[in-house]
Amino acid sequence: MMANSLTVNAYDSHLQATGRPSPGITEPDLPPMTDRPTSDHINEIHHSGLKATAPRIKILRVFQESSQRHWSAEDVYRKLLEDHAEIGLATTYRVLLQFVQAGLLSRTYIEAGKAIFELNEGRHHDHLVCVRCGRVEEFCDPEIEARQQRVAEQFGFELKDHALSLYGVCSSPACRRGGR
Amino acid sequence: MMANSLTVNAYDSHLQATGRPSPGITEPDLPPMTDRPTSDHINEIHHSGLKATAPRIKILRVFQESSQRHWSAEDVYRKLLEDHAEIGLATTYRVLLQFVQAGLLSRTYIEAGKAIFELNEGRHHDHLVCVRCGRVEEFCDPEIEARQQRVAEQFGFELKDHALSLYGVCSSPACRRGGR
DNA sequence: TTTGTTGCAAATTATTTGCAGCGGG
DNA sequence: CCCGCTGCAAATAATTTGCAACAAA
């Protein structure tokens, strides 16, 4: 409950946060990619230099075999519970982090103080989230990306990464009407 | 240690997060504004509908009478300790939040999972942070702001807010040379 | 076999809340 | 004098870590 820095440092989190950066493409279109054989999962994990254990395979499948793209650690853990995979929350966190470091997943902080994981398909994007229903859209605007680069240069910074989330009310009637 | 949502909801944090939004100005130039008389602080607090108590006055002065612009709750608490103000951490958090809601301060999440507070001077801006030394620059790029609006419209969203931070290596020789 | 991996419980970090007592207006 | 405010301790929430038992390669 207090111990170290004084404003400075620990922004390091963001360095290892997102999987490999890559050039902007304008509209992700979410390919289904459902129910691939386990042997592929094993290879994917092996190629990351990790042992292909049951927890890792199951967690990878959660991402690849679901229409849901964005998962918090808790979400994943709960899905595993439902599926009767006997995997602890700590392991879930550990594996998610390893997958991020291996570039299989990417991690973002859409809402303050909670990490969201998604399959890293190589195309960088930012998020647009509905503050009423939580719906998340992905976008990548080359103009914004270019401008960020410019801003960094103006300040003499070598740009390494960025975090951008837009918050708004989506077009669903319920959200538009939206009390609260 | 787990209880509620499933990805959805709680993005609400961001609704009350930042003080009032305002039109973009291109370069903040940080006026000093040092050592104003206490009576002014009292008024500023009163105008927010809050009682002018010692903790509130002292916390407001931390922001107004220091060259440092960005403070975490811990930072403020530690400064108060140094100054022998007898103010608890809980009170610090409570007052900071009240000041944000009153529009005196604004709150941002520059690094994952840690709130940063600064005086709300009415001019909206985003942050550019050095991942080596923690230095924070402020900027506002009208082009980026406009583009965000466009993106939201494309998706049929009514844009309410955004969070943008750029991470890079600043121009200081130490950071440029910079091994981690 | 050997080193990486797991589950569980306990520790951390950032922040919030309950409550009895204090003090501005 | 009354209700808002404070300190302290305990509670939450998200995530991490220590450690002994295991299990891929």
Side-chain angles (χ1 to χ4, degrees):
Chain A
M1 179 225 281
M2 75 158 271
N4 46 357
S5 70
L6 205 157
T7 295
V8 163
N9 202 350
Y11 301 100
D12 308 72
S13 41
H14 272 274
L15 288 179
Q16 57 162 191
T18 316
R20 73 183 83 91
S22 56
I25 290 169
T26 314
E27 283 282 283
D29 43 288
L30 318 194
M33 187 189 283
T34 324
D35 199 41
R36 272 206 286 162
T38 296
S39 56
D40 275 24
H41 298 159
I42 293 178
N43 285 333
E44 213 157 344
I45 293 171
H46 275 168
H47 288 348
S48 309
L50 298 168
K51 285 185 181 175
T53 61
R56 293 201 179 123
I57 293 168
K58 285 173 183 165
I59 289 176
L60 187 51
R61 296 183 74 146
V62 165
F63 283 87
Q64 294 187 329
E65 302 177 357
S66 164
S67 57
Q68 182 179 335
R69 261 189 74 73
H70 303 95
W71 300 77
S72 70
E74 270 290 328
D75 291 342
V76 174
Y77 176 63
R78 293 245 276 279
K79 179 73 165 69
L80 293 170
L81 277 187
E82 280 172 31
D83 298 353
H84 305 293
E86 306 272 309
I87 299 175
L89 182 55
T91 299
T92 304
Y93 272 103
R94 270 186 294 232
V95 170
L96 287 173
L97 181 55
Q98 290 161 344
F99 282 178
V100 168
Q101 291 168 336
L104 290 176
L105 298 180
S106 71
R107 176 172 62 178
T108 24
Y109 294 87
I110 285 179
E111 41 175 312
K114 193 171 194 173
I116 291 297
F117 300 83
E118 60 189 294
L119 273 184
N120 181 358
E121 280 149 348
R123 8 166 156 96
H124 162 75
H125 60 259
D126 296 307
H127 296 98
L128 171 54
V129 4
C130 177
V131 295
R132 301 250 215 261
C133 69
R135 182 179 145 201
V136 177
E137 298 287 345
E138 303 177 346
F139 70 92
C140 182
D141 188 300
E143 195 73 36
I144 291 178
E145 305 283 320
R147 235 51 195 24
Q148 290 177 351
Q149 187 57 51
R150 287 285 220 72
V151 169
E153 279 165 18
Q154 268 171 41
F155 283 89
F157 277 57
E158 187 184 328
L159 191 58
K160 291 291 191 190
D161 192 13
H162 71 261
L164 171 60
S165 294
L166 306 184
Y167 304 94
V169 178
C170 81
S171 52
S172 103
C175 295
R176 270 299 149 82
R177 188 178 333 112
R180 193 249 176 289
Chain B
M1 180 225 280
M2 75 156 273
N4 46 357
S5 71
L6 204 158
T7 296
V8 164
N9 201 350
Y11 301 100
D12 309 71
S13 43
H14 271 274
L15 287 179
Q16 58 162 193
T18 316
R20 74 183 83 91
S22 55
I25 290 168
T26 314
E27 281 282 284
D29 42 289
L30 319 193
M33 187 190 285
T34 324
D35 200 40
R36 273 206 285 160
T38 295
S39 56
D40 276 24
H41 298 159
I42 294 178
N43 285 333
E44 214 157 344
I45 293 170
H46 274 169
H47 288 348
S48 309
L50 299 167
K51 284 186 181 176
T53 62
R56 293 200 178 123
I57 294 168
K58 285 173 184 164
I59 289 176
L60 187 51
R61 297 183 75 147
V62 165
F63 283 87
Q64 294 187 329
E65 303 177 356
S66 165
S67 57
Q68 183 179 334
R69 260 190 73 75
H70 304 95
W71 299 77
S72 70
E74 270 290 329
D75 290 341
V76 173
Y77 176 63
R78 293 243 277 277
K79 179 72 164 70
L80 293 170
L81 278 186
E82 279 172 30
D83 298 356
H84 306 292
E86 306 272 308
I87 298 175
L89 182 56
T91 300
T92 305
Y93 272 103
R94 271 186 293 234
V95 169
L96 288 173
L97 181 54
Q98 291 160 345
F99 283 178
V100 168
Q101 291 168 335
L104 290 176
L105 299 180
S106 71
R107 176 172 63 177
T108 22
Y109 294 86
I110 285 180
E111 41 176 311
K114 192 169 195 174
I116 291 296
F117 300 85
E118 59 190 295
L119 273 183
N120 181 357
E121 281 149 347
R123 7 163 156 100
H124 162 74
H125 60 259
D126 297 306
H127 296 98
L128 172 54
V129 5
C130 178
V131 296
R132 300 250 215 261
C133 69
R135 181 179 146 200
V136 177
E137 297 288 345
E138 303 177 345
F139 71 92
C140 182
D141 187 302
E143 195 75 35
I144 291 179
E145 305 282 321
R147 236 52 194 25
Q148 291 176 351
Q149 187 58 50
R150 287 287 220 74
V151 169
E153 279 165 19
Q154 269 171 40
F155 283 88
F157 276 57
E158 188 183 326
L159 191 58
K160 292 291 191 189
D161 193 12
H162 71 260
L164 170 60
S165 295
L166 307 184
Y167 305 93
V169 178
C170 81
S171 52
S172 103
C175 295
R176 271 298 150 82
R177 186 178 335 112
R180 190 247 179 292

